């Protein structure tokens, strides 16, 4: 049933318009994405690994590290956050703990995938999978563990690259039967496979499209994805791909010129950044508690 909360992710997915969730990796990226007007955000495990540890997306991140990042984000923005829960960080019992933790941290949805550990980015080669029945059990455990039905369970299958397209659709169907709220068939290789996913499931459940720049799936815009029949699109790593290039150019310029002057037109200056993060508002709020309003003659 659609949520009565018009800002919730469940409510947004009940409408006709595609929901676009850009990738974020910390509270600052979440804040800027929210200010840009997006109705949902995607906390990418890969992007946390890239930015926090400078490491690849090969299963090195733990549940606690994601939870810490998620807490900081949800404390700063009200926009619904879909959090990448990888494999649930273990078996079905680990999934229960992960769901309860992420829901308590403020997430709107968790994505769980059917890879075996060590997992890796869905667009890398060499993935392995757990049995479909085991993943279905994890999905059911996630559904049973959540406290509120507005906390959505996104079930992802990576089977196209491992077992083939038909097997991936069969796995997705099993995860839907287990109670998934959103299906995510990872890395379809062409428009025909994307159309087939929508033909099989589009009238039953919201479908998620993963747009990875340089990945295995055709890179499409929101209007095209909506026309195909997807309801949710994530651009998980685009933020870090753009940031990594900008940082390389910034550091190169600083090294070459010995200062930041040539780069100023590509930067937010001191006041500009403080405006984005709301420094004037923080200071004004602090003045309410600075002691000037307390004490004096009774």
């Amino acid at each position: 049933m659609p949520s009565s909360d018009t800002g919730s992710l469940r409510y947004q997915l009940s409408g006709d318009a595609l929901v676009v969730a850009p990738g974020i990796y910390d509270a600052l990226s979440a804040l800027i994405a929210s200010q840009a007007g997006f109705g949902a955000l995607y906390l990418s495990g890969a992007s946390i690994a890239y930015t926090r540890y400078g490491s690849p997306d090969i299963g090195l991140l733990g549940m606690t590290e994601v939870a810490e990042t998620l807490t900081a984000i949800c404390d700063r923005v009200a926009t619904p956050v879909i959090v990448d829960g990888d494999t649930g960080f273990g078996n079905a019992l680990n999934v229960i703990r992960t769901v309860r933790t992420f829901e308590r941290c403020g997430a709107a949805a968790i994505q769980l995938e059917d890879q075996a550990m060590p997992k890796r980015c869905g667009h890398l080669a060499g993935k392995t999978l757990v049995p479909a029945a085991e993943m279905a059990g994890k999905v059911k455990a996630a559904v049973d563990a959540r406290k509120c039905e507005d906390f959505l369970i996104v079930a992802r299958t990576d089977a196209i690259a491992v077992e083939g397209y038909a097997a991936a659709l069969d796995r997705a169907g099993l995860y839907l039967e287990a109670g998934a709220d959103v299906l995510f068939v990872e890395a379809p290789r062409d428009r025909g496979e994307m159309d087939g996913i929508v033909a099989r499931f589009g009238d039953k459940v919201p479908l998620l499209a993963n747009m990875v720049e340089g990945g295995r799936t055709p890179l499409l815009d929101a209007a095209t994805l909506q026309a195909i029949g997807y309801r949710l699109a994530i651009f998980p790593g685009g933020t870090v791909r753009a940031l990594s290039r900008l940082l390389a150019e910034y550091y190169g310029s600083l090294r070459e010129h010995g200062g930041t002057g040539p780069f100023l037109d590509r930067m937010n200056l001191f006041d500009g950044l403080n405006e984005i993060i709301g420094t004037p508002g923080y200071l004004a709020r602090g003045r309410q508690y600075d002691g000037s309003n307390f004490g004096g003659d009774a």
Side-chain angles (χ1 to χ4, degrees):
M1 294 293 292
S3 170
S4 59
D5 179 1
T6 57
S8 74
L9 182 61
R10 184 181 289 278
Y11 184 90
Q12 292 181 59
L13 291 174
S14 70
D16 295 329
L18 180 85
V19 177
V20 176
I24 58 172
Y25 57 87
D26 66 2
L28 178 61
S29 58
L31 179 63
I32 295 172
S34 296
Q35 290 172 347
F38 289 99
L41 308 172
Y42 181 81
L43 178 56
S44 161
S47 292
I48 298 174
Y50 299 155
T51 58
R52 188 167 179 177
Y53 299 109
S55 69
D57 181 21
I58 52 173
L60 302 177
L61 206 63
M63 187 271 283
T64 301
E65 294 158 315
V66 179
E68 290 173 351
T69 306
L70 175 65
T71 298
I73 289 167
C74 293
D75 187 57
R76 190 67 181 91
V77 302
T79 307
V81 176
I82 306 160
V83 58
D84 181 0
D86 283 347
T87 65
F89 304 99
N91 61 20
L93 294 178
N94 297 102
V95 167
I96 291 170
R97 178 172 180 252
T98 299
V99 165
R100 289 178 175 171
T101 299
F102 287 0
E103 186 176 14
R104 199 162 54 241
C105 291
I110 185 173
Q111 172 203 300
L112 298 168
E113 63 197 46
D114 57 6
Q115 286 194 51
M117 289 297 289
K119 61 87 60 185
R120 60 183 61 199
C121 171
H123 291 252
L124 288 174
K127 297 182 289 185
T128 57
L129 307 178
V130 299
E134 180 180 335
M135 177 61 182
K138 287 185 173 185
V139 173
K140 182 62 165 61
V143 171
D144 290 346
R146 65 184 172 189
K147 299 295 185 183
C148 175
E149 288 193 358
D150 275 349
F151 182 84
L152 303 185
I153 311 302
V154 181
R156 164 177 151 180
T157 178
D158 286 72
I160 289 178
V162 182
E163 299 176 344
Y165 180 70
L169 296 187
D170 290 342
R171 277 178 172 262
L174 190 62
Y175 307 160
L176 178 60
E177 290 178 14
D181 300 294
V182 178
L183 289 182
F184 174 4
V185 181
E186 173 65 303
R189 296 160 291 193
D190 53 43
R191 173 68 184 266
E193 289 188 348
M194 299 176 79
D195 287 337
I197 294 166
V198 173
R200 176 87 172 259
F201 300 111
D203 62 346
K204 300 179 179 68
V205 65
L207 297 172
L208 183 154
N210 183 18
M211 296 290 98
V212 177
E213 299 81 5
R216 298 178 181 272
T217 300
L219 191 62
L220 304 174
D221 61 23
T224 303
L225 291 169
Q226 180 172 315
I228 292 172
Y230 283 93
R231 306 290 292 280
L232 175 61
I234 60 173
F235 291 76
T239 305
V240 179
R241 275 182 273 280
L243 176 66
S244 61
R245 181 166 178 173
L246 181 63
L247 285 175
E249 293 171 355
Y250 167 79
Y251 289 128
S253 176
L254 178 58
R255 180 70 177 86
E256 178 183 357
H257 300 287
T260 55
F263 215 81
L264 288 181
D265 61 348
R266 304 180 64 189
M267 300 169 63
N268 285 311
L269 303 186
F270 183 82
D271 288 342
L273 179 57
N274 277 302
E275 187 65 30
I276 288 171
I277 62 178
T279 301
Y282 274 90
L283 296 177
R285 191 182 315 154
R287 285 193 290 272
Q288 299 177 29
Y289 309 105
D290 65 2
S292 60
N293 296 319
F294 303 93
D297 295 335

